[in-house]
């Protein structure tokens, strides 16, 4: 058993605390990871606010990179000393999706079996089955993906969640390629990552849409060729106009990524795509949201695909090493997502800055 510092949310809306936690030695199928860096994500704040579930206390943090310290007796995929990025979808290999070769859709992903606890033995619920605002964390071995050990932990750890979701929404779900246009609605961490992914794939034009001019500047730095301030102009018309400038006869973008998670922006995405185009919903709506007044004939008449993207439909074992290599080659600027490096005691302040839209990512260095 290991006693380390971790960041815990004890109750709904209460400020997080740095406390001592107990981390068990890894059992079968598990790995103990010494965390080096972990990004602060909206989902962590969401847990603290009771927006995910009521399984307090939570051990927060889930966008992390670190070094494997020990593994359970039967673990062969990773070994002590491996530099890994953590993922929250360890695939099972047994479910219907896995059996038909679509591991990225695994319907039965898993986490560590043993529980980390507070000093008094109270079981912790690790955020997204990870809990990496901690000096050490216990995960399922399949949640560890080995990547190039010379990469910067603060940057590559971000592939563990929002950045992967965004890149994957464009590349995996939207299947964006050269010779195709893309618009991304919502340019927070996820949307900007979609833009970076589209730039990697060679798409053009790459149109960034947001209501905040600061976000549009960040989008430009990540590879957006055009920006649209949808608080000032009609996003759908602007996207159509820009696409028609590049491709004769285009009536919208080939792929539109919705990275806000709201009905009105999804509807913009729906109407801003060209015939046979693809809409990708990567923003996460709340359960009460509905899309009203959508004529079914418009769904039929435009053809194409309306898709959702879970975690960028990523397969960590395929996508993490590939993206880390592109980062190392200077072709994917993961450093640009790291707005600041902070300490384990600075998370409340980071939530505050995130709330105001001042940062792409604050990253805790351990
Ligand atoms: N039109 C365009 N952009 C909008 C609108 C709107 N009506 N409303 C909000 N936005 C922009 C914000 O200005 C911000 O830049 O959407 C962006 C959302 O970014 P973040 O709040 O930083 O969220 P992010 O981490 O990028 O996640 C986006 O994906 O994973 C999900 O739960 C997450 O639903 C969220 C979405
Ligand atoms: Zn499976
Ligand atoms: Zn996250």
């Amino acid at each position: 058993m290991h006693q380390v510092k971790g960041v815990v949310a004890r109750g709904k809306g209460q400020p997080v605390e740095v406390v001592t936690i107990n981390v068990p030695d890894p059992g079968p199928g598990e790995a103990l990871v010494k965390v080096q860096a972990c990004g602060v994500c909206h989902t962590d704040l969401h847990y603290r606010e009771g927006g995910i579930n009521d399984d307090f206390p939570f051990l927060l943090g889930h966008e992390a990179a670190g070094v494997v310290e020990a593994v359970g007796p039967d673990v062969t995929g990773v070994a002590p000393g491996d530099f890994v990025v953590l993922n929250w979808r360890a695939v099972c290999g047994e479910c219907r999706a896995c059996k038909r070769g679509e591991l990225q859709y695994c319907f039965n992903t898993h986490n560590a079996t043993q529980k980390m606890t507070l000093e008094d033995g109270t079981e912790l619920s690790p955020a997204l089955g990870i809990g990496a605002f901690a000096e050490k964390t216990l995960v399922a071995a399949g949640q560890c993906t080995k990547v190039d050990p010379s990469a910067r932990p603060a940057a590559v750890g971000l592939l563990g969640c929002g950045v992967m979701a965004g890149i994957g929404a464009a590349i995996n779900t939207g299947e964006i390629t050269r010779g195709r246009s893309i618009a991304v609605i919502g340019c927070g961490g996820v949307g900007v990552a979609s833009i970076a992914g589209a730039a990697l794939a060679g798409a053009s034009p790459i149109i960034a849409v947001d209501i905040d001019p600061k976000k549009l500047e960040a989008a430009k730095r990540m590879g957006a060729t055009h920006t649209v301030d949808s608080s000032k102009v009609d996003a759908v018309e602007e996207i159509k106009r820009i696409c028609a400038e590049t491709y004769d006869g285009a009536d919208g973008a080939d792929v539109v990524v919705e990275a806000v998670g709201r009905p009105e922006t999804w509807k913009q995405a729906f109407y801003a795509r060209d015939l046979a185009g693809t809409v990708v919903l990567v923003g996460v709506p709340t359960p009460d949201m509905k899309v009203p007044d959508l004529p079914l004939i418009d769904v039929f008449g435009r053809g194409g695909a309306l898709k959702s993207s879970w975690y960028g439909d990523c397969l960590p074992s395929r996508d993490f090493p590939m993206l880390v290599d592109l980062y190392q080659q200077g072709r994917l600027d993961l450093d640009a997502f790291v707005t600041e490096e902070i300490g384990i005691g600075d998370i409340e302040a980071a939530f505050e800055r995130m709330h105001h839209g001042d940062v792409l990512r604050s990253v805790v260095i351990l």
Side-chain angles (χ1 to χ4, degrees):
M1 205 256 286
H2 306 254
Q3 290 209 310
V4 300
K5 284 195 174 32
V7 175
V8 168
R10 286 186 194 268
K12 198 170 174 144
Q14 285 177 30
V16 299
E17 293 168 45
V18 180
V19 300
T20 301
I21 61 167
N22 294 340
V23 183
D25 281 313
E30 294 174 339
L32 177 72
V33 176
K34 196 166 186 301
V35 180
Q36 293 176 315
C38 182
V40 181
C41 174
H42 283 82
T43 304
D44 294 305
L45 180 56
H46 221 111
Y47 272 109
R48 192 203 75 175
E49 288 176 342
I52 309 255
N53 59 49
D54 279 327
D55 300 339
F56 289 98
F58 293 109
L59 175 62
L60 299 182
H62 60 273
E63 303 190 338
V67 175
V68 175
E69 183 169 302
V71 296
D74 58 342
V75 171
T76 54
V78 284
D82 285 348
F83 177 60
V84 295
V85 174
L86 300 183
N87 72 76
W88 39 270
R89 285 182 59 83
V91 299
C92 77
E94 307 272 316
C95 71
R96 220 175 128 239
C98 285
K99 279 191 172 146
R100 68 186 180 208
E102 297 177 322
L103 285 84
Q104 71 275 26
Y105 299 134
C106 176
F107 301 150
N108 193 25
T109 58
H110 59 283
N111 307 122
T113 315
Q114 300 181 85
K115 294 287 183 188
M116 294 180 273
T117 66
L118 294 173
E119 274 185 299
D120 67 5
T122 309
E123 288 188 357
L124 290 162
S125 306
L128 293 174
I130 293 184
F133 291 149
E135 293 159 330
K136 295 178 188 182
T137 188
L138 184 74
V139 293
Q143 290 181 264
C144 300
T145 307
K146 258 173 89 166
V147 300
D148 181 344
S150 63
R152 179 187 172 200
V156 300
L158 298 183
L159 288 172
C161 182
V163 172
M164 185 68 245
I167 294 176
I171 291 184
N172 294 335
T173 318
E175 298 177 284
I176 188 68
T177 57
R178 287 187 175 79
R180 286 177 195 263
S181 53
I182 187 169
V184 177
I185 303 180
C187 299
V190 174
V192 157
S194 284
I195 286 166
L200 259 182
S204 184
I206 300 172
I207 305 165
V209 181
D210 205 291
I211 50 177
D212 178 348
K214 271 197 316 268
K215 299 303 176 85
L216 293 173
E217 280 312 307
K220 248 192 202 157
R221 289 194 295 274
M222 294 303 228
T225 59
H226 298 73
T227 58
V228 174
D229 182 342
S230 56
S231 71
K232 302 225 160 65
V233 296
D234 184 285
V236 174
E237 277 173 23
E238 240 345 72
I239 292 168
K240 285 179 187 268
R241 189 188 63 73
I242 293 164
C243 291
E245 272 178 1
T246 311
Y247 301 114
D248 235 2
D251 186 35
D254 295 309
V255 178
V256 186
V257 174
E258 201 279 7
V260 186
R262 299 195 57 84
E264 57 281 16
T265 38
W266 187 85
K267 232 168 150 178
Q268 287 176 338
F270 180 86
Y271 283 109
R273 82 197 157 121
D274 204 350
L275 292 174
T278 302
V279 172
V280 178
L281 177 65
V282 65
V284 184
T286 53
D288 55 300
M289 290 176 176
K290 298 203 164 58
V291 183
D293 301 327
L294 190 68
L296 195 54
I297 188 66
D298 286 358
V299 178
F300 179 79
R302 306 176 76 85
L306 308 177
K307 298 174 102 176
S308 314
S309 188
W310 302 343
Y311 200 178
D313 290 335
C314 77
L315 185 56
S317 57
R318 174 194 65 192
D319 295 340
F320 289 4
M322 178 260 296
L323 292 170
V324 171
D325 283 351
L326 291 172
Y327 165 63
Q328 295 289 70
Q329 291 167 22
R331 296 171 64 191
L332 172 63
D333 188 5
L334 294 176
D335 292 321
F337 290 90
V338 184
T339 312
E340 57 174 5
E341 295 189 349
I342 63 173
I344 196 170
D346 302 332
I347 286 168
E348 279 298 326
F351 282 156
E352 197 57 35
R353 278 190 293 275
M354 188 172 72
H355 198 71
H356 287 117
D358 297 339
V359 291
L360 273 179
R361 277 293 185 267
S362 306
V363 180
V364 176
I365 304 297
L366 291 131

